[in-house]
Short mmCIF file of all heavy atoms in Angstrom, two decimals:
data_model
loop_
_atom_site.label_atom_id
_atom_site.label_comp_id
_atom_site.label_asym_id
_atom_site.label_seq_id
_atom_site.Cartn_x
_atom_site.Cartn_y
_atom_site.Cartn_z
N LEU A 1 96.16 97.54 87.45
CA LEU A 1 95.23 97.19 86.40
C LEU A 1 95.70 97.72 85.04
O LEU A 1 95.51 97.06 84.02
CB LEU A 1 93.84 97.69 86.76
CG LEU A 1 93.19 96.99 87.97
CD1 LEU A 1 91.99 97.75 88.47
CD2 LEU A 1 92.83 95.56 87.65
N CYS A 2 96.26 98.91 85.05
CA CYS A 2 96.83 99.45 83.79
C CYS A 2 97.95 98.57 83.28
O CYS A 2 97.96 98.20 82.08
CB CYS A 2 97.35 100.87 84.02
SG CYS A 2 96.08 102.13 84.24
N LEU A 3 98.89 98.21 84.13
CA LEU A 3 100.00 97.38 83.71
C LEU A 3 99.50 96.01 83.17
O LEU A 3 99.97 95.56 82.14
CB LEU A 3 100.98 97.15 84.87
CG LEU A 3 101.95 98.32 85.19
CD1 LEU A 3 102.72 97.99 86.44
CD2 LEU A 3 102.90 98.55 84.03
N LYS A 4 98.54 95.43 83.87
CA LYS A 4 98.01 94.12 83.43
C LYS A 4 97.40 94.27 82.05
O LYS A 4 97.63 93.45 81.16
CB LYS A 4 96.97 93.61 84.45
CG LYS A 4 97.53 93.27 85.80
CD LYS A 4 98.40 92.05 85.80
CE LYS A 4 97.55 90.80 85.71
NZ LYS A 4 98.34 89.57 85.78
N GLU A 5 96.58 95.30 81.86
CA GLU A 5 95.92 95.51 80.57
C GLU A 5 96.96 95.78 79.47
O GLU A 5 96.74 95.42 78.32
CB GLU A 5 94.94 96.68 80.66
CG GLU A 5 94.08 96.83 79.41
CD GLU A 5 93.02 97.89 79.56
OE1 GLU A 5 92.41 98.02 80.66
OE2 GLU A 5 92.75 98.61 78.57
N MET A 6 98.05 96.41 79.83
CA MET A 6 99.11 96.72 78.86
C MET A 6 100.02 95.48 78.60
O MET A 6 100.97 95.59 77.80
CB MET A 6 99.95 97.90 79.35
CG MET A 6 99.17 99.21 79.37
SD MET A 6 100.04 100.57 80.20
CE MET A 6 101.49 100.77 79.15
N GLY A 7 99.74 94.38 79.28
CA GLY A 7 100.48 93.15 78.98
C GLY A 7 101.62 92.84 79.91
O GLY A 7 102.38 91.90 79.70
N TYR A 8 101.78 93.61 81.00
CA TYR A 8 102.85 93.35 81.94
C TYR A 8 102.37 92.37 83.02
O TYR A 8 101.23 92.46 83.47
CB TYR A 8 103.30 94.64 82.63
CG TYR A 8 104.06 95.59 81.72
CD1 TYR A 8 103.40 96.50 80.92
CD2 TYR A 8 105.43 95.51 81.65
CE1 TYR A 8 104.07 97.36 80.07
CE2 TYR A 8 106.15 96.39 80.81
CZ TYR A 8 105.46 97.27 80.02
OH TYR A 8 106.14 98.14 79.19
N GLY A 9 103.21 91.45 83.42
CA GLY A 9 102.92 90.60 84.54
C GLY A 9 103.20 91.32 85.83
O GLY A 9 104.22 91.97 85.97
N VAL A 10 102.27 91.18 86.77
CA VAL A 10 102.49 91.82 88.07
C VAL A 10 102.14 90.81 89.14
O VAL A 10 101.01 90.38 89.26
CB VAL A 10 101.64 93.10 88.26
CG1 VAL A 10 101.93 93.75 89.59
CG2 VAL A 10 101.84 94.10 87.12
N LYS A 11 103.17 90.41 89.91
CA LYS A 11 102.97 89.41 90.97
C LYS A 11 102.89 90.05 92.33
O LYS A 11 102.31 89.47 93.24
CB LYS A 11 104.13 88.42 90.97
CG LYS A 11 104.12 87.51 89.74
CD LYS A 11 105.27 86.51 89.81
CE LYS A 11 105.26 85.62 88.57
NZ LYS A 11 106.43 84.72 88.57
N LYS A 12 103.47 91.25 92.49
CA LYS A 12 103.50 91.93 93.77
C LYS A 12 103.29 93.40 93.58
O LYS A 12 103.77 93.99 92.59
CB LYS A 12 104.84 91.72 94.48
CG LYS A 12 105.19 90.32 94.87
CD LYS A 12 106.48 90.30 95.63
CE LYS A 12 107.33 89.12 95.30
NZ LYS A 12 108.67 89.18 95.80
N ILE A 13 102.61 94.00 94.56
CA ILE A 13 102.46 95.46 94.59
C ILE A 13 102.80 95.92 96.00
O ILE A 13 102.56 95.21 96.98
CB ILE A 13 101.07 95.94 94.16
CG1 ILE A 13 99.97 95.39 95.05
CG2 ILE A 13 100.79 95.58 92.70
CD1 ILE A 13 98.57 95.90 94.76
N SER A 14 103.36 97.11 96.09
CA SER A 14 103.73 97.59 97.43
C SER A 14 103.93 99.13 97.40
O SER A 14 104.08 99.74 96.34
CB SER A 14 105.02 96.91 97.92
OG SER A 14 106.09 97.21 97.06
N PHE A 15 103.91 99.69 98.59
CA PHE A 15 104.31 101.05 98.79
C PHE A 15 105.75 101.01 99.34
O PHE A 15 106.14 100.08 100.06
CB PHE A 15 103.44 101.76 99.83
CG PHE A 15 102.04 102.04 99.35
CD1 PHE A 15 100.98 101.25 99.74
CD2 PHE A 15 101.82 103.08 98.45
CE1 PHE A 15 99.71 101.52 99.29
CE2 PHE A 15 100.54 103.35 97.99
CZ PHE A 15 99.50 102.56 98.40
N TYR A 16 106.51 102.02 99.01
CA TYR A 16 107.84 102.17 99.58
C TYR A 16 107.86 103.50 100.28
O TYR A 16 107.61 104.56 99.68
CB TYR A 16 108.92 102.15 98.46
CG TYR A 16 110.29 102.51 98.97
CD1 TYR A 16 110.98 101.62 99.80
CD2 TYR A 16 110.87 103.71 98.66
CE1 TYR A 16 112.24 101.94 100.28
CE2 TYR A 16 112.12 104.05 99.13
CZ TYR A 16 112.80 103.16 99.97
OH TYR A 16 114.05 103.50 100.43
N GLU A 17 108.11 103.46 101.60
CA GLU A 17 108.15 104.67 102.41
C GLU A 17 109.59 105.15 102.46
O GLU A 17 110.44 104.53 103.08
CB GLU A 17 107.63 104.39 103.81
CG GLU A 17 107.50 105.67 104.66
CD GLU A 17 106.89 105.39 106.01
OE1 GLU A 17 107.24 104.37 106.64
OE2 GLU A 17 106.05 106.20 106.44
N ILE A 18 109.83 106.27 101.78
CA ILE A 18 111.18 106.80 101.64
C ILE A 18 111.77 107.24 102.98
O ILE A 18 112.94 106.96 103.29
CB ILE A 18 111.19 107.99 100.63
CG1 ILE A 18 110.76 107.47 99.25
CG2 ILE A 18 112.53 108.67 100.61
CD1 ILE A 18 110.39 108.56 98.29
N SER A 19 110.97 107.88 103.83
CA SER A 19 111.48 108.40 105.10
C SER A 19 111.99 107.30 106.04
O SER A 19 112.85 107.56 106.88
CB SER A 19 110.43 109.28 105.80
OG SER A 19 109.32 108.44 106.15
N THR A 20 111.46 106.11 105.91
CA THR A 20 111.88 105.00 106.80
C THR A 20 112.61 103.90 106.05
O THR A 20 113.04 102.92 106.67
CB THR A 20 110.68 104.39 107.50
OG1 THR A 20 109.80 103.83 106.50
CG2 THR A 20 109.94 105.40 108.38
N ASN A 21 112.68 104.03 104.71
CA ASN A 21 113.30 103.02 103.88
C ASN A 21 112.62 101.64 104.05
O ASN A 21 113.28 100.61 104.09
CB ASN A 21 114.81 102.91 104.15
CG ASN A 21 115.56 102.13 103.10
OD1 ASN A 21 115.18 102.12 101.94
ND2 ASN A 21 116.62 101.46 103.50
N LYS A 22 111.30 101.65 104.13
CA LYS A 22 110.54 100.41 104.32
C LYS A 22 109.60 100.18 103.15
O LYS A 22 108.99 101.09 102.62
CB LYS A 22 109.68 100.50 105.60
CG LYS A 22 110.50 100.46 106.87
CD LYS A 22 109.58 100.41 108.08
CE LYS A 22 110.42 100.44 109.35
NZ LYS A 22 109.59 100.60 110.55
N THR A 23 109.54 98.89 102.80
CA THR A 23 108.58 98.44 101.79
C THR A 23 107.37 97.89 102.49
O THR A 23 107.48 97.08 103.44
CB THR A 23 109.22 97.36 100.88
OG1 THR A 23 110.36 97.93 100.24
CG2 THR A 23 108.24 96.85 99.84
N LEU A 24 106.17 98.34 102.08
CA LEU A 24 104.93 97.89 102.68
C LEU A 24 104.11 97.14 101.64
O LEU A 24 103.45 97.75 100.79
CB LEU A 24 104.16 99.12 103.21
CG LEU A 24 104.96 100.01 104.12
CD1 LEU A 24 104.35 101.40 104.22
CD2 LEU A 24 105.09 99.40 105.51
N PRO A 25 104.18 95.81 101.67
CA PRO A 25 103.46 95.01 100.68
C PRO A 25 101.93 95.17 100.81
O PRO A 25 101.41 95.33 101.91
CB PRO A 25 103.85 93.57 100.97
CG PRO A 25 104.92 93.62 102.01
CD PRO A 25 104.91 94.97 102.61
N ILE A 26 101.27 95.16 99.67
CA ILE A 26 99.79 95.24 99.61
C ILE A 26 99.33 94.02 98.84
O ILE A 26 99.97 93.60 97.86
CB ILE A 26 99.39 96.54 98.87
CG1 ILE A 26 99.95 97.78 99.56
CG2 ILE A 26 97.85 96.62 98.72
CD1 ILE A 26 99.44 98.02 100.96
N ASN A 27 98.21 93.45 99.28
CA ASN A 27 97.66 92.28 98.57
C ASN A 27 97.19 92.72 97.17
O ASN A 27 96.64 93.81 97.00
CB ASN A 27 96.48 91.71 99.32
CG ASN A 27 96.90 91.03 100.63
OD1 ASN A 27 98.00 90.52 100.72
ND2 ASN A 27 96.03 91.05 101.60
N LEU A 28 97.39 91.82 96.21
CA LEU A 28 96.84 92.07 94.86
C LEU A 28 95.32 92.15 94.99
O LEU A 28 94.72 91.44 95.81
CB LEU A 28 97.24 90.95 93.93
CG LEU A 28 98.72 90.85 93.56
CD1 LEU A 28 98.98 89.64 92.69
CD2 LEU A 28 99.21 92.12 92.85
N PRO A 29 94.67 92.97 94.16
CA PRO A 29 93.21 93.06 94.27
C PRO A 29 92.54 91.74 93.86
O PRO A 29 92.92 91.12 92.88
CB PRO A 29 92.87 94.20 93.31
CG PRO A 29 94.04 94.31 92.38
CD PRO A 29 95.25 93.85 93.15
N THR A 30 91.52 91.39 94.63
CA THR A 30 90.69 90.22 94.31
C THR A 30 89.60 90.63 93.32
O THR A 30 89.47 91.84 93.00
CB THR A 30 90.04 89.69 95.59
OG1 THR A 30 89.13 90.71 96.09
CG2 THR A 30 91.05 89.37 96.69
N LYS A 31 88.80 89.68 92.90
CA LYS A 31 87.68 90.02 92.05
C LYS A 31 86.74 91.00 92.71
O LYS A 31 86.22 91.95 92.10
CB LYS A 31 86.92 88.77 91.63
CG LYS A 31 87.63 87.92 90.61
CD LYS A 31 86.78 86.74 90.19
CE LYS A 31 87.60 85.88 89.18
NZ LYS A 31 86.85 84.71 88.72
N ASP A 32 86.50 90.82 93.99
CA ASP A 32 85.64 91.73 94.78
C ASP A 32 86.26 93.12 94.85
O ASP A 32 85.56 94.12 94.75
CB ASP A 32 85.37 91.21 96.16
CG ASP A 32 84.41 90.00 96.19
OD1 ASP A 32 83.68 89.78 95.18
OD2 ASP A 32 84.41 89.27 97.18
N ASP A 33 87.58 93.16 95.03
CA ASP A 33 88.27 94.46 95.10
C ASP A 33 88.16 95.18 93.75
O ASP A 33 87.96 96.38 93.70
CB ASP A 33 89.76 94.24 95.40
CG ASP A 33 90.01 93.75 96.82
OD1 ASP A 33 89.16 93.98 97.70
OD2 ASP A 33 91.07 93.11 97.02
N ILE A 34 88.31 94.45 92.65
CA ILE A 34 88.19 95.05 91.31
C ILE A 34 86.79 95.55 91.07
O ILE A 34 86.60 96.62 90.50
CB ILE A 34 88.69 94.07 90.22
CG1 ILE A 34 90.20 93.82 90.44
CG2 ILE A 34 88.37 94.60 88.82
CD1 ILE A 34 90.78 92.74 89.56
N LYS A 35 85.78 94.84 91.55
CA LYS A 35 84.39 95.30 91.46
C LYS A 35 84.22 96.58 92.27
O LYS A 35 83.62 97.56 91.83
CB LYS A 35 83.45 94.23 91.97
CG LYS A 35 82.01 94.64 92.17
CD LYS A 35 81.30 94.80 90.85
CE LYS A 35 79.80 94.94 91.02
NZ LYS A 35 79.31 96.27 90.96
N GLU A 36 84.78 96.60 93.49
CA GLU A 36 84.73 97.82 94.33
C GLU A 36 85.41 98.98 93.61
O GLU A 36 84.88 100.09 93.58
CB GLU A 36 85.44 97.54 95.64
CG GLU A 36 85.58 98.75 96.55
CD GLU A 36 86.46 98.51 97.76
OE1 GLU A 36 86.55 97.34 98.24
OE2 GLU A 36 87.10 99.47 98.23
N PHE A 37 86.57 98.74 93.02
CA PHE A 37 87.30 99.76 92.28
C PHE A 37 86.47 100.27 91.10
O PHE A 37 86.37 101.46 90.84
CB PHE A 37 88.64 99.23 91.82
CG PHE A 37 89.45 100.20 91.03
CD1 PHE A 37 90.13 101.23 91.64
CD2 PHE A 37 89.54 100.10 89.64
CE1 PHE A 37 90.87 102.16 90.91
CE2 PHE A 37 90.25 101.04 88.90
CZ PHE A 37 90.92 102.05 89.54
N SER A 38 85.87 99.34 90.34
CA SER A 38 85.07 99.69 89.19
C SER A 38 83.88 100.56 89.63
O SER A 38 83.56 101.55 88.94
CB SER A 38 84.58 98.42 88.51
OG SER A 38 83.83 98.74 87.39
#
């Protein structure tokens, strides 16, 4: 949300687990998710 407000495009978000060298994709927040966050 910070990046979006600052004018950056964000198409994907994920966690990267260093110990296993794995990327764990997370869904972008929906309107309901943003309401929950707010």
